[in-house]
Amino acid sequence: MLTVRELLRDLDVGVLAGEANLDAPVRWVHISELADPTPWLSGGELLLTTGLSQETPDEQREYIYNLADHGLAGLGFGVGFGHEKVPEALVAAAAERDFPLVEIPYDTPFIAVTEKAFARLVNEQYALLQRSIAVQERLQRIVLSERGLDAIASALATLIGGTLVVFDGRGEPQALHAFRRELPEDALSAIGAELRERARRTEARGFVPSHPELAPRALALPVAGAETTGLPQAWLVAVKDSGGLSEFDRVVLHQAVTVVALELLRRHVAASTERRLAGDVLSELIGGTVEGPDLARRLEPFGLGGRVTALVLSPPARQPGKGGGPEACEAALASALRDEAVSGLVATANNHVCALLPGFLDEELFELSQRVLDRVVAKMGAAPAAGAGRAVAAGDARRAYHEARCALEARTLGRPVGAEANGNGHGSAGGGNGNGAAASGKPMVATYRDLGSFQLLLSLQDSDALRLFCESLLGPIETGEGHYGGELMRSLEAFIECNGQWEAAARRLYCHRHTLRYRIRKIEELTGRDLASARDRIEFWLALRGRELVN
């Protein structure tokens, strides 16, 4: 860092005042003959002048006061032009303010001062650039090695000698690392509150935190996101352990913003790829296109081997201000499993969100499933229905999925029209008699104990009897109406899954309720069944589920 003292070394000049402040940093050297050059200066400059615009003692004193108040590093006064020597009023005013005042003789040109200053400043900037490039490469290696935000925060905290915090766009800490001095909890909370307020006001510019203990040594920078809202996806906040942030610190932090953005992008791409692969595996598993050893190999990258089980959720409808929908349910389920430190495959298929998990004993599985469901409800603010299947060999995971889904649907099939999908009044986690949820008043996970007669279908899945049962009931619909039979089948399934509620089923099918009524009447004509009858609806449901097992 160039100081006034270092700049004057080896120059034929004399210091007239302000010797105590000769170690002030020099940011630049500027030449001006204006009576008040401060509007064109930003502070930290060494100003050079011949004093042509300062003729009276009052003007000279005012000149020094303006320069000192504006934060200049000092004044170099060239004699031999308008003044044979530095005016006494200038010297007295500089001494009063302890402001560095230097007399530059006629035979020492200003360019000698500026060249020396610029050479030193350029060298400093070059050295700063080299250091910053090395830091950038180090941070990029952390991203490429997939060590995560914690490693980036740790490296930055060491580089700046302070605390580094990465907040998400909502002001919640995502990574935090302190160098030597821990950040007080109240200060961390204050920064988070300030970030949330800025998000509310849609402000996305860097700022100095307003906390009184942090302001002199802290900086918050936005990490831009891909969204078009203009709001940052994250914030990078640095707090120096002692002293203010240096120029090097600020350069490093501005570079780190790009590195954090790259890490967040890498995480997003990795999560999206994993989610897509999980969805493909689940779709093939449900469709029966992959099974046995091939399926077991496909599940290994997700940490699933040996025996597996399934947890299936039926997402609540998306409601304004209350959350819901498959995407929110999938994110909440994945987060709940991370909180429980359980690995697995999470994906959405057929309007259900499924998690394939490592195999557990029944009671252990039911307890885990219930804890996961409780976490999902807390995260979503809504209660999805849930079902869990028993542990099976990884190659037979389709059976676990169908058992979990059918346990879920078996519970909701008999729900009275208009009842909410909250699972109350049923449940078998640890009980098996359906009384647990009624007593606790919270949604409970359905299990094979809720399957009832569907266990018979599962036991027949390797027999032609199950296929004959399904074809006898559903065959007239598919064969009697040709291509339109597929539309009738979709309408039948939606009507049954919505428990005979016309409006809900029509919304699921994106059709008018009168269209749905026509289709249901057509199904009744083809099969000779009455869908107003609970018994016939149950048999149709069993046939639909059984067809999934044999297809």
Side-chain angles (χ1 to χ4, degrees):
M1 180 177 63
L2 179 63
T3 65
V4 177
R5 189 186 306 277
E6 291 175 347
L7 178 58
L8 300 180
R9 188 178 298 152
D10 301 327
L11 290 176
D12 184 18
V13 298
V15 179
L16 304 181
E19 292 186 3
N21 287 323
L22 288 180
D23 291 321
V26 176
R27 191 183 61 81
W28 200 245
V29 176
H30 187 70
I31 301 173
S32 175
E33 298 296 342
L34 295 175
D36 182 12
T38 56
W40 290 270
L41 301 174
S42 58
E45 297 92 349
L46 176 68
L47 181 66
L48 303 180
T49 186
T50 61
L52 296 178
S53 61
Q54 296 94 42
E55 298 180 354
T56 67
D58 288 342
E59 290 176 341
Q60 293 161 359
R61 283 191 291 271
E62 186 67 23
Y63 185 73
I64 289 293
Y65 295 156
N66 285 340
L67 299 184
D69 291 341
H70 201 67
L72 266 69
L75 174 66
F77 195 94
V79 296
F81 295 92
H83 301 273
E84 290 300 320
K85 64 177 184 177
V86 179
E88 292 296 331
L90 278 175
V91 176
E96 178 186 341
R97 290 295 186 90
D98 211 6
F99 182 71
L101 176 61
V102 181
E103 183 182 78
I104 302 177
Y106 180 80
D107 56 358
T108 300
F110 283 174
I111 193 172
V113 181
T114 57
E115 281 185 343
K116 183 177 180 181
F118 293 165
R120 175 63 184 272
L121 291 172
V122 167
N123 288 335
E124 286 185 352
Q125 290 298 316
Y126 180 70
L128 178 63
L129 178 61
Q130 285 186 313
R131 291 178 64 193
S132 64
I133 290 174
V135 169
Q136 181 81 350
E137 291 176 348
R138 177 183 173 186
L139 295 175
Q140 287 175 349
R141 285 195 295 271
I142 293 175
V143 174
L144 293 175
S145 62
E146 300 182 5
R147 292 159 58 192
L149 282 179
D150 287 334
I152 294 174
S154 175
L156 288 172
T158 302
L159 285 167
I160 69 170
T163 298
L164 199 292
V165 191
V166 179
F167 291 86
D168 64 15
R170 301 184 303 274
E172 297 296 328
Q174 300 299 301
L176 184 152
H177 201 278
F179 182 57
R180 289 193 179 93
R181 182 177 174 183
E182 294 290 339
L183 194 65
E185 190 65 33
D186 65 318
L188 187 66
S189 300
I191 295 174
E194 190 167 0
L195 292 177
R196 287 189 290 274
E197 177 62 22
R198 286 177 173 268
R200 187 186 65 81
R201 300 198 306 260
T202 65
E203 294 183 11
R205 292 181 297 178
F207 66 97
V208 175
S210 59
H211 193 282
E213 295 182 8
L214 305 182
R217 52 192 178 92
L219 180 65
L221 297 174
V223 180
E227 295 81 2
T228 58
T229 60
L231 291 176
Q233 62 173 329
W235 289 89
L236 185 68
V237 179
V239 181
K240 194 89 167 177
D241 280 354
S242 60
L245 292 165
S246 67
E247 184 178 2
F248 174 71
D249 294 333
R250 295 177 183 276
V251 170
V252 167
L253 291 173
H254 279 88
Q255 288 180 327
V257 166
T258 303
V259 174
V260 171
L262 287 173
E263 171 60 20
L264 294 177
L265 177 61
R266 185 196 66 78
R267 289 171 53 176
H268 174 73
V269 170
S272 298
T273 302
E274 183 175 350
R275 188 163 54 249
R276 177 172 51 81
L277 292 175
D280 292 344
V281 172
L282 183 61
S283 296
E284 292 180 357
L285 179 153
I286 294 172
T289 57
V290 59
E291 56 187 5
D294 290 341
L295 177 58
R297 284 194 294 271
R298 295 284 297 274
L299 294 177
E300 285 179 0
F302 298 95
L304 300 172
R307 296 177 67 79
V308 300
T309 189
L311 176 64
V312 177
L313 276 62
S314 178
R318 186 180 288 105
Q319 298 179 11
K322 294 184 179 181
E327 298 86 357
C329 188
E330 181 179 334
L333 178 56
S335 177
L337 291 175
R338 286 194 299 270
D339 293 343
E340 290 286 340
V342 176
S343 62
L345 177 155
V346 179
T348 300
N350 296 345
N351 296 317
H352 290 85
V353 177
C354 174
L356 292 182
L357 311 173
F360 294 91
L361 297 176
D362 282 1
E363 296 307 321
E364 185 181 5
L365 167 65
F366 300 154
E367 291 175 3
L368 170 65
S369 300
Q370 189 60 53
R371 293 197 306 270
V372 169
L373 177 60
D374 292 342
R375 291 183 184 274
V376 170
V377 171
K379 293 175 186 295
M380 294 187 65
R390 284 172 290 188
V392 297
D396 198 24
R398 186 173 184 237
R399 178 185 178 93
Y401 167 80
H402 280 295
E403 185 175 84
R405 179 184 171 185
C406 292
L408 181 158
E409 294 183 354
R411 168 177 295 173
T412 59
L413 187 64
R415 185 191 310 128
V417 174
E420 293 296 329
N422 57 13
N424 291 347
H426 299 275
S428 45
N433 56 11
N435 295 328
S440 65
K442 68 176 182 179
M444 301 292 286
V445 178
T447 71
Y448 71 91
R449 296 165 179 165
D450 296 289
L451 283 172
S453 59
F454 189 74
Q455 292 188 68
L456 175 62
L457 293 186
L458 291 176
S459 67
L460 294 175
Q461 63 173 313
D462 293 326
S463 170
D464 290 338
L466 180 57
R467 188 185 304 275
L468 290 172
F469 168 76
C470 299
E471 291 181 352
S472 66
L473 195 57
L474 303 178
I477 303 174
E478 293 181 308
T479 61
E481 290 297 313
H483 177 72
Y484 188 59
E487 196 66 42
L488 293 180
M489 291 292 293
R490 286 189 291 273
S491 300
L492 172 63
E493 184 158 9
F495 182 72
I496 292 175
E497 288 183 354
C498 292
N499 202 24
Q501 299 180 64
W502 296 102
E503 292 288 350
R507 283 196 300 270
R508 177 173 293 191
L509 294 166
Y510 300 100
C511 70
H512 196 277
R513 65 179 182 278
H514 294 322
T515 302
L516 178 61
R517 289 182 185 277
Y518 168 79
R519 294 174 181 173
I520 295 302
R521 284 199 301 270
K522 190 66 176 177
I523 291 171
E524 291 175 337
E525 292 174 4
L526 291 170
T527 61
R529 300 298 185 109
D530 181 7
L531 280 166
S533 166
R535 176 178 177 178
D536 285 346
R537 285 207 303 269
I538 289 174
E539 289 195 8
F540 272 121
W541 177 77
L542 290 172
L544 289 168
R545 298 290 78 80
R547 190 178 65 158
E548 290 181 355
L549 294 174
V550 297
N551 284 344

